[in-house]
Amino acid sequence: MDIYDLFFYMSLGAGFLMAFNLGANDVANSMASAVGARAITVRQAVFIASILNFVGAVFLGSQVTSTISKGIINPAAITDPKLIMIGMFAALLAAGVWVLVATLTSLPVSSTHSIVGAITGFGLVAGGPSVVNWLKMGGIVMSWIISPFLAAGIAFFIFSHIRKYILFKHHFIEQAKRWAPIWIALALFMIALSFLYKTPAGKSLHLHWSLSLMVALGVAFAAWAIGRLFTSRIVIDEEEGAEGVERIFRKMQIGTSCYVALSQGANDVANAIGPVAAIYLIAKEHQLLAKADVPTSMLVLGGFGIAVGISVLGHKVMKTVGTKITTLTNTRGFAVDIGAASTVLVASNLGLPVSTTHAAVGGVVGVGLARGFHAVDFRVLLRIVAYWIATVPIAALTSIVFFVLLKWLCYS
């Protein structure tokens, strides 16, 4: 076994550690609102999120994985491929350790921030500032800024709409039966487009964009029709109060939480498997190729690690996001899920490793602000933002320390 094989096998372990931490920390993004609104229990959330994150990671994750492995640094600027291999391994370890620390303190941090900061850290030491693809970094940084505000804006709009056209109307149930199927149709429309444009099965159909749009519209129409039947059976008494509305949205929220978990797996697996894929390519070809397929077995490893992490430590961050920022009900939780999932799926389809954490927290803050500033606990929010700001420099510095030590061991 040469040093390339050794680092490849070690990277599988480090990739699993990172995937475990993704599951442990980012599970809050997919299921926290449903648990906080008491639509499902923690045990049910863990079960659902484990399966859907795995499916999302394996069948939807390859595109963003490619961006993480080769988009942040320019491998051509580092002549020795062994240095890239050591650096990617150091980045995985550094990001994994930081996310684990945040999870143990019950605070949600961006795994995307962590891995991008860690890769940038070793890249600066190995090749200097020119090695970093600053244009790509600019796009990633923009997604960090855009994602929380976009998710907050969408969640704010949806919950304000629900309040204005359902909760503030005299006939609660009649209005809920009118609008709930429309929201269901919108969610299914986006999921259908995502599958057609991102999954291997959807891509293999080679559908023209206009035909894809028609298929998605057909799915949305079917969802609307089924949704009308679904909502009329949940609440029969037209005079039932706000609790009847919440009961309709409770069922819908379980569906939207599943939608978030699926998109989360697709987007976040790149943070664990991107560096592993880069190391795999170097171990195999002794160079980082410009383009190569990411083996499905690696996506399976990432998906499995995420599922284990959710099961073991997922409850910690779930509690913070679901209950401590603002009080969630089923209508509010539904708005949070749609806001976060829409943001993540759009960014994921563009190949941007958007922060799921930022989108989820942004959505929670958005529905809180819809009821006024008093509805948001800004002390908790400020602690979360402080961790977000610290993530990139801490991950970068830790990665540099690991990289320098490993380089000294390998070259001495």
Side-chain angles (χ1 to χ4, degrees):
M1 181 184 293
D2 60 18
I3 192 168
Y4 290 99
D5 291 333
L6 177 64
F7 266 90
F8 171 61
Y9 290 121
M10 289 196 303
S11 74
L12 292 177
F16 182 83
L17 172 67
M18 186 63 191
F20 174 90
N21 288 313
L22 288 176
N25 198 292
D26 288 13
V27 69
N29 307 326
S30 61
M31 290 291 162
S33 62
V35 172
R38 301 182 187 279
I40 53 177
T41 65
V42 172
R43 182 172 296 181
Q44 290 170 329
V46 166
F47 178 75
I48 294 170
S50 299
I51 293 174
L52 291 180
N53 269 272
F54 181 85
V55 172
V58 174
F59 296 103
L60 299 174
S62 59
Q63 184 177 343
V64 177
T65 301
S66 175
T67 301
I68 280 284
S69 62
K70 295 181 287 292
I72 298 170
I73 61 170
N74 177 17
I78 303 175
T79 55
D80 187 353
K82 198 188 300 182
L83 279 181
I84 300 176
M85 183 177 66
I86 295 171
M88 285 292 182
F89 181 74
L92 266 179
L93 277 183
V97 168
W98 168 243
V99 179
L100 181 61
V101 168
T103 302
L104 293 175
T105 54
S106 301
L107 287 175
V109 295
S110 169
S111 54
T112 309
H113 269 213
S114 303
I115 197 66
V116 168
I119 290 176
T120 305
F122 100 79
L124 287 171
V125 173
S130 62
V131 78
V132 178
N133 186 341
W134 294 108
L135 186 61
K136 177 71 73 175
M137 279 290 294
I140 294 171
V141 170
M142 285 303 294
S143 77
W144 295 344
I145 298 170
I146 292 169
S147 57
F149 286 99
L150 180 60
I154 295 172
F156 182 95
F157 168 76
I158 293 174
F159 183 60
S160 297
H161 188 279
I162 291 171
R163 294 180 88 195
K164 182 176 180 181
Y165 290 99
I166 299 177
L167 298 176
F168 287 175
K169 292 287 184 181
H170 182 64
H171 299 293
F172 292 139
I173 304 303
E174 183 183 336
Q175 289 297 105
K177 287 180 178 178
R178 177 179 299 172
W179 285 104
I182 295 175
W183 291 119
I184 293 174
L186 179 64
L188 267 293
F189 173 75
M190 295 185 63
I191 291 173
L193 279 182
S194 175
F195 269 86
L196 287 172
Y197 283 115
K198 277 192 64 65
T199 63
K203 289 177 181 176
S204 67
L205 297 174
H206 302 295
L207 297 180
H208 189 267
W209 68 267
S210 58
L211 185 56
S212 298
L213 188 62
M214 290 178 64
V215 170
L217 286 172
V219 170
F221 180 77
W224 174 78
I226 295 172
R228 282 176 60 88
L229 186 65
F230 166 76
T231 51
S232 64
R233 289 189 174 182
I234 292 177
V235 180
I236 298 174
D237 185 2
E238 293 288 338
E239 298 303 319
E240 191 173 351
E243 178 53 33
V245 176
E246 293 295 333
R247 195 157 70 247
I248 292 174
F249 277 86
R250 189 176 305 142
K251 302 292 183 184
M252 292 168 57
Q253 198 190 357
I254 295 172
T256 53
S257 294
C258 294
Y259 169 39
V260 176
L262 189 71
S263 61
Q264 181 191 38
N267 200 60
D268 287 3
V269 70
N271 298 330
I273 297 306
V276 179
I279 293 170
Y280 167 74
L281 292 175
I282 295 170
K284 187 178 174 184
E285 306 290 342
H286 288 199
Q287 59 177 321
L288 187 59
L289 300 177
K291 188 176 182 181
D293 292 333
V294 178
T296 303
S297 58
M298 290 187 189
L299 296 174
V300 171
L301 175 72
F304 180 66
I306 290 172
V308 174
I310 291 168
S311 303
V312 177
L313 289 177
H315 61 281
K316 283 184 169 288
V317 177
M318 196 186 298
K319 185 176 180 182
T320 300
V321 177
T323 63
K324 294 186 177 178
I325 299 174
T326 191
T327 303
L328 292 178
T329 60
N330 298 117
T331 46
R332 297 168 198 162
F334 173 80
V336 170
D337 287 346
I338 291 292
S342 302
T343 302
V344 169
L345 272 179
V346 169
S348 181
N349 277 309
L350 293 173
L352 292 175
V354 67
S355 166
T356 315
T357 301
H358 288 195
V361 174
V364 172
V365 174
V367 297
L369 290 177
R371 295 183 298 125
F373 283 93
H374 67 280
V376 178
D377 190 333
F378 284 98
R379 291 172 301 177
V380 175
L381 185 61
L382 286 176
R383 284 184 63 206
I384 292 172
V385 171
Y387 264 61
W388 288 358
I389 294 171
T391 291
V392 169
I394 287 180
L397 288 173
T398 311
S399 175
I400 290 170
V401 171
F402 287 156
F403 175 69
V404 171
L405 284 174
L406 288 168
K407 182 183 173 186
W408 177 74
L409 287 171
C410 293
Y411 284 84
S412 62

